[in-house]
């Protein structure tokens, strides 16, 4: 299934495994890459030295291209970019729009830059700055998310930019891949679906909570860090929503202390990162601290298995996933389903021809 995305990054299939903190480590990323997808290593929860080690570990497990995801607003983003360049990583993805300068530095080194966006204007901005592609996440996606559904946001972005667009938010099978291609995307990105594989290091008890969830058990809350955050509804999330400001501040300080010990960050650095996330948003000081140490709440569940003390970021698709295939089995199944769907529609060749035209810049725009 060749598209503009597969040609751009050199993978076999137009599927991306997203960079999920504490989840997208070397084992999952290399398994996704070996399956023919683009595996993306999550670096925000790693020190710079650990990031370098993780990149080398992925490379020891696969010869396929892979990427690294990082926060553009992190104080050490420049150091992480240097690791990506030094280690010859194929793709740099960003959870927030990177600066024009970071994009230029990466592109000058031959790295493919794919920022994640949640609005058409953000896609237009990073494309104008030189991004090679954009990953657009609709409101169905897990973690920090927006309010616009993928089916509305995706065509907006496809019509607005002339770079490949990767669709995220609500994808888990081959039918979704075909739908994304029909909208004009060059591929799909999935987080929750790859989290729920046998190659994921998430504890089995946590995976069981995801598999037991219905679509109604996935909620959006601001209680964690003041920003819309899609996750599984649990007793712990309910308690966060009931906690007053004083309780939230105590909890934020406790988790911040844990993150500082684990990461080696200074208090000044943590506050600075929290302030970066606060920029342009109405957050209290307890929320600033929570924004800086939300990784600890995720770690409690995703690493320690403490669903009673942590949060489980999740896309709505958790409610329709009921198995734990390997990455190889998952990717093969998605491609097989997609090809079967295209055959049933009698549209396999027209779709591929359309993507060849789009890659050449011959995009047809609707009248406005």
């Amino acid at each position: 299934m060749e598209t503009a995305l597969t040609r751009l990054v050199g993978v076999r299939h137009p599927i991306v495994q997203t960079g999920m903190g504490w989840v997208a480590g070397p084992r999952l990323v290399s398994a996704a890459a070996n399956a023919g997808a683009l595996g993306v290593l999550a670096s925000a929860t790693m020190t710079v030295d650990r990031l370098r080690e993780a990149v080398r570990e992925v490379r020891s497990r696969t010869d396929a291209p892979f990427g690294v995801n990082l926060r553009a607003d992190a104080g050490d983003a420049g150091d992480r970019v240097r690791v990506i360049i030094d280690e010859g990583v194929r793709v740099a993805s960003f959870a927030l729009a990177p600066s024009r300068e970071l994009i230029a530095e990466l592109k000058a080194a031959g790295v493919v830059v794919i920022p994640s966006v949640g609005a058409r204007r953000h896609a237009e901005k990073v494309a104008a700055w030189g991004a090679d592609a954009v990953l657009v996440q609709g409101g169905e996606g897990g973690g920090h998310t927006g309010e616009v559904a993928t089916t509305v946001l995706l065509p907006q972005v496809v019509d607005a930019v002339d770079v490949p667009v990767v669709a995220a938010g609500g994808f888990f099978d081959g039918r979704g891949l075909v739908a994304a291609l029909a909208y004009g995307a060059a591929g799909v990105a999935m987080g929750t679906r790859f989290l729920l594989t046998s190659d994921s290091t998430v504890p089995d008890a946590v995976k069981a909570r995801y598999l037991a969830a219905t679509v109604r058990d996935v909620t959006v809350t601001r209680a964690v860090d003041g920003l819309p955050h899609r996750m599984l509804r649990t007793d712990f999330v309910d308690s966060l929503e009931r906690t007053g400001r004083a309780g939230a501040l105590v909890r934020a300080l406790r988790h911040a202390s844990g993150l500082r010990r684990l990461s080696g960050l200074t208090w000044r650095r943590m506050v600075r990162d929290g302030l970066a996330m606060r920029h342009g948003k109405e957050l209290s000081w307890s929320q600033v601290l929570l924004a800086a140490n939300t990784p600890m709440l995720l770690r409690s569940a995703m690493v320690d298995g403490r669903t009673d003390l942590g949060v489980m970021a999740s896309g709505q698709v958790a409610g329709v996933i009921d198995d734990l295939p390997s990455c190889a089995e998952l990717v093969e199944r998605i491609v097989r389903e997609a090809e079967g769907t295209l055959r049933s529609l009698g549209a396999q060749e027209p779709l591929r021809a359309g993507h060849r035209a789009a890659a050449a810049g011959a995009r047809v725009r609707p009248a406005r």
Side-chain angles (χ1 to χ4, degrees), residues 4-357:
L5 174 66
T6 62
R7 291 189 290 273
L8 177 66
V9 300
V11 296
R12 299 197 306 276
H13 307 301
I15 299 170
V16 177
Q17 163 258 302
T18 60
M20 301 163 281
W22 306 115
V23 177
R27 191 172 92 178
L28 180 62
V29 171
S30 57
N34 284 328
L38 178 67
V40 178
L41 190 69
S43 80
T45 54
M46 301 177 182
T47 64
V48 174
D49 289 341
R50 173 55 189 149
L51 171 59
R52 191 179 296 274
E53 293 171 0
V55 167
R56 292 176 178 178
E57 184 177 346
V58 173
R59 197 172 299 287
S60 74
R61 293 168 176 256
T62 184
D63 294 327
F66 64 95
V68 168
N69 178 263
L70 60 155
R71 273 179 45 195
D73 62 345
D76 59 358
D79 296 332
R80 295 171 186 272
V81 165
R82 178 50 53 189
V83 170
I84 290 172
I85 294 173
D86 290 347
E87 298 297 328
V89 175
R90 176 62 177 160
V91 175
S93 69
F94 290 87
L96 296 171
S99 66
R100 188 193 303 265
E101 292 74 22
L102 277 183
I103 293 176
E105 182 180 359
L106 286 161
K107 286 175 66 70
V111 180
V112 175
V113 180
I114 308 179
S116 297
V117 299
R120 180 176 63 182
R121 67 182 185 278
H122 298 152
E124 291 171 333
K125 178 175 69 174
V126 295
W129 287 353
D132 297 290
V134 293
L135 188 155
V136 53
Q137 177 176 307
E140 301 93 322
H144 291 120
T145 192
E147 299 177 350
V148 182
T150 303
T151 51
V152 175
L153 182 59
L154 176 58
Q156 277 190 319
V157 174
V158 167
D159 290 343
V161 299
D162 290 316
V163 297
V165 176
V166 181
F171 297 100
F172 65 99
D173 65 2
R175 294 171 299 175
L177 174 55
V178 172
L181 295 177
Y183 272 115
V188 297
M190 304 181 298
T192 305
R193 178 64 275 195
F194 276 103
L195 183 156
L196 293 173
T197 61
S198 60
D199 294 304
S200 163
T201 59
V202 171
D204 290 342
V206 177
K207 291 179 182 178
R209 291 292 298 270
Y210 278 92
L211 293 176
T214 69
V215 291
R216 293 181 177 274
D217 295 322
V218 185
T219 188
V220 175
T221 182
R222 291 178 178 268
V224 174
D225 55 16
L227 304 173
H229 205 145
R230 187 176 290 283
M231 61 186 63
L232 294 188
R233 167 68 66 181
T234 64
D235 291 342
F236 181 66
V237 172
D238 289 339
S239 72
L240 292 181
E241 292 181 338
R242 291 192 302 267
T243 301
R245 286 191 174 184
L249 181 57
V250 170
R251 187 179 69 250
L253 287 168
R254 182 173 67 249
H255 285 293
S257 178
L259 177 62
R260 190 176 66 86
R261 290 193 302 270
L262 184 69
S263 66
L265 295 175
T266 64
W267 283 106
R268 176 178 293 183
R269 174 64 177 282
M270 288 179 62
V271 170
R272 186 172 63 189
D273 285 354
L275 286 172
M277 295 185 71
R278 186 177 189 251
H279 180 67
K281 305 175 181 71
E282 294 297 327
L283 302 184
S284 68
W285 282 106
S286 63
Q287 289 170 332
V288 167
L289 279 175
L290 281 169
N293 70 80
T294 295
M296 285 300 292
L297 293 176
L298 292 166
R299 185 183 191 277
S300 293
M302 299 304 166
V303 177
D304 301 333
R306 295 296 304 271
T307 58
D308 57 329
L309 295 176
V311 298
M312 293 172 281
S314 176
Q316 285 184 307
V317 295
V320 295
I321 294 173
D322 59 6
D323 63 348
L324 297 171
S326 68
C327 286
E329 291 167 340
L330 174 63
V331 171
E332 191 276 335
R333 182 169 74 196
I334 289 173
V335 172
R336 185 177 65 249
E337 289 173 350
E339 291 177 339
T341 301
L342 287 171
R343 282 194 297 271
S344 70
L345 293 172
Q348 186 170 12
E349 288 308 314
L351 271 176
R352 289 184 175 176
H355 278 281
R356 285 194 294 270

